[in-house]
Amino acid sequence: MKPARIAELNAKVEAEYARNKARVYPETLPKQMDIPVARYVDPRLYELENQHVWSKVWLLAGHADELPEVGSYKLWTLSGQQVILVRGKDRQIRAFFNSCRHRGAALIREPHGKQKVFACKFHAWTYDLQGDLVFVPEENDFPCLDKKQNGLVQLRCESWGNLIFVNRDPQAQPLLEYLGRATDELAHFEFESWKLGARTERYELKCNWKTAIEAFLEAYHVDTVHPQTVAPFLDSRGVVFEMWNRTTLMVLPNYRDKQFKYSSSDSGDPRHELTRAASLNFEIFPNAHVPLTEFTAPFMIFWPTGIASCVIEVLYLESPHSPLSSEQQEQLVYSQVDTVLREDFSNVEAQQRTNESGAFKHIHIGAREWRIYRWHEIIDEMIGAEKIPAELRIPTLLGPTLG
């Protein structure tokens, strides 16, 4: 990150300290930001999200290290669809629905592997790594079949560095346009060189996916939820949010005399000055949360599995310059992250039950939580406010850029 940009963010942090010391509400924010509780429990909104959000956004599906060789594949199901990610003979990574064009049988059943072709186990229709239909047994039984028009159904698949994204919408804007300003702001992390760590975690929660991810969209809870882990190091009074359309940044500063980071050493690279002085948290709409340090980054991805259930996948990425030189050090990082995550998850299932009780109609969003409200605005923008029942809709109060 450039020195002028670091100075700008530091100035915003100082302004937040001053505002909180004076105990005044931000002039830039609306005084009231309420969200209907029904948005977390009503099946109508859940279905609208499936139709208009999940089918049209770029979703983080994996890392290039999972597909190291030609023919390496991954069966990706977390988005609710059966999708094959495969590295082709040209070494490009592509995404296809896991469905034979004959009668829809699944081509792949193992989560990972390597193959020269994809042959259906039902009737042996066979596809190459580019998805083209190359063999049909007894082809004369299908006199009107055009093999060129019956390859595997392909999905949009693009990368940011080594991160693989998939989008079901063929008309979607290119990935890097979708990420927008974030690609420049975070270019100094050089994600094209980051490697996938030795471990991937999954957590299953009995709550709406929005309830789970909102625990990571604000800093108001730090002192109460993380009294022994995060609160001694990070000072929520100076938290700064920036909204960049479909991506957001949260800067949560260290206490002046302490450091909170996963490694005791750093490269001295001035581009990472802010990373060493604060917790830098990056969000990609709709479901990826990334706490960034100079050398490690757990990518947390939230997936709905039902209206009141979700799965959180955590991909650990590591910079090639990381000082973590042993498996023991890596395990310490994983353990630290796991502890903090379990603290964050400690409230959400009970929160979902109270949301379902009908005891109250709205939740109230404060000055250190406004990124939650903007997240809901984006959901409504993608669905179209006119499609959302009036009692579930929220007014647009913040807009696409703020902070």
Side-chain angles (χ1 to χ4, degrees):
M1 192 173 287
K2 296 178 181 178
R5 180 67 174 128
I6 295 173
E8 177 188 3
L9 287 169
N10 279 330
K12 290 184 176 184
V13 167
E14 293 301 324
E16 275 301 295
Y17 276 127
R19 180 189 68 78
N20 278 289
K21 185 176 181 179
R23 294 186 178 275
V24 296
Y25 190 79
E27 295 180 357
T28 56
L29 293 179
K31 295 295 191 293
Q32 184 174 1
M33 294 177 285
D34 289 352
I35 297 174
V37 172
R39 291 176 68 90
Y40 304 90
V41 300
D42 195 306
R44 293 174 296 175
L45 185 64
Y46 180 74
E47 289 305 318
L48 287 169
E49 289 170 353
N50 285 332
Q51 293 174 30
H52 300 284
V53 178
W54 296 102
S55 64
K56 296 181 179 179
V57 293
W58 285 102
L59 299 171
L60 181 53
H63 189 278
D65 285 355
E66 297 178 273
L67 307 170
E69 301 175 309
V70 170
S72 295
Y73 71 82
K74 170 186 176 178
L75 181 58
W76 180 58
T77 61
L78 285 171
S79 70
Q81 303 288 328
Q82 292 263 332
V83 176
I84 303 170
L85 300 175
V86 60
R87 191 179 290 276
K89 290 184 178 180
D90 55 3
R91 300 203 59 81
Q92 294 296 309
I93 296 173
R94 295 176 176 84
F96 303 101
F97 281 111
N98 184 27
S99 180
C100 178
R101 294 296 300 275
H102 174 211
R103 284 168 54 189
L107 297 168
I108 294 298
R109 300 174 188 178
E110 298 298 324
H112 290 275
K114 182 181 176 183
Q115 295 191 185
K116 294 181 179 180
V117 295
F118 296 115
C120 179
K121 294 178 175 60
F122 198 0
H123 299 95
W125 283 35
T126 303
Y127 307 83
D128 65 20
L129 300 178
Q130 279 65 245
D132 295 327
L133 178 60
V134 294
F135 174 69
V136 175
E138 309 297 338
E139 189 173 341
N140 57 285
D141 284 357
F142 302 89
C144 295
L145 178 68
D146 183 349
K147 286 193 292 187
K148 292 183 179 179
Q149 300 300 317
N150 282 275
L152 298 179
V153 178
Q154 189 166 354
L155 296 86
R156 294 277 298 280
C157 183
E158 298 178 18
S159 296
W160 178 28
N162 279 332
L163 300 169
I164 305 167
F165 289 77
V166 170
N167 195 319
R168 301 209 306 265
D169 182 4
Q171 305 303 317
Q173 67 186 131
L175 171 64
L176 296 186
E177 288 184 15
Y178 181 86
L179 295 172
R181 179 175 167 182
T183 59
D184 291 329
E185 291 278 353
L186 303 179
H188 60 290
F189 284 99
E190 300 173 340
F191 286 128
E192 63 274 7
S193 64
W194 283 47
K195 303 298 183 182
L196 188 64
R199 184 165 160 183
T200 298
E201 293 284 2
R202 286 196 186 185
Y203 302 83
E204 296 184 8
L205 298 176
K206 295 179 180 178
C207 68
N208 186 268
W209 73 278
K210 296 187 293 296
T211 303
I213 198 170
E214 285 172 10
F216 299 85
L217 293 178
E218 47 94 352
Y220 187 41
H221 73 279
V222 167
D223 291 344
T224 51
V225 176
H226 308 293
Q228 304 300 322
T229 52
V230 179
F233 306 99
L234 298 180
D235 190 349
S236 67
R237 296 171 300 171
V239 68
V240 168
F241 300 121
E242 288 195 345
M243 180 66 64
W244 310 328
N245 197 14
R246 293 293 187 265
T247 56
T248 68
L249 182 71
M250 178 172 73
V251 180
L252 183 55
N254 297 350
Y255 280 101
R256 300 300 201 273
D257 59 342
K258 296 180 180 179
Q259 292 290 315
F260 177 63
K261 51 189 178 181
Y262 300 127
S263 170
S264 60
S265 62
D266 61 65
S267 67
D269 187 335
R271 298 178 301 171
H272 290 277
E273 177 187 334
L274 186 64
T275 314
R276 294 189 288 270
S279 173
L280 209 60
N281 292 269
F282 172 59
E283 300 278 347
I284 306 172
F285 181 85
N287 67 329
H289 171 85
V290 190
L292 291 167
T293 76
E294 186 171 2
F295 302 116
T296 60
F299 277 68
M300 308 170 190
I301 317 166
F302 295 72
W303 302 103
T305 55
I307 192 170
S309 62
C310 60
V311 168
I312 296 87
E313 180 184 44
V314 185
L315 304 177
Y316 289 92
L317 269 64
E318 185 176 317
S319 165
H321 310 296
S322 172
L324 299 176
S325 57
S326 69
E327 183 178 345
Q328 184 178 8
Q329 288 177 313
E330 288 185 352
Q331 292 301 321
L332 177 61
V333 171
Y334 300 148
S335 176
Q336 290 174 332
V337 174
D338 178 74
T339 297
V340 174
L341 283 178
R342 291 185 185 280
E343 291 174 345
D344 280 311
F345 297 150
S346 64
N347 295 300
V348 295
E349 292 186 340
Q351 184 181 353
Q352 181 70 23
R353 302 291 84 78
T354 61
N355 287 345
E356 292 168 349
S357 72
F360 55 99
K361 299 299 182 185
H362 292 83
I363 62 173
H364 309 296
I365 301 300
R368 284 182 246 183
E369 303 171 300
W370 66 259
R371 190 164 58 155
I372 293 174
Y373 193 90
R374 177 56 192 157
W375 217 247
H376 283 263
E377 285 186 350
I378 299 175
I379 290 172
D380 285 13
E381 288 168 7
M382 294 205 69
I383 294 172
E386 72 283 354
K387 299 184 180 73
I388 302 173
E391 65 273 21
L392 300 177
R393 199 180 308 153
I394 64 168
T396 300
L397 301 176
L398 298 175
T401 57
L402 189 66

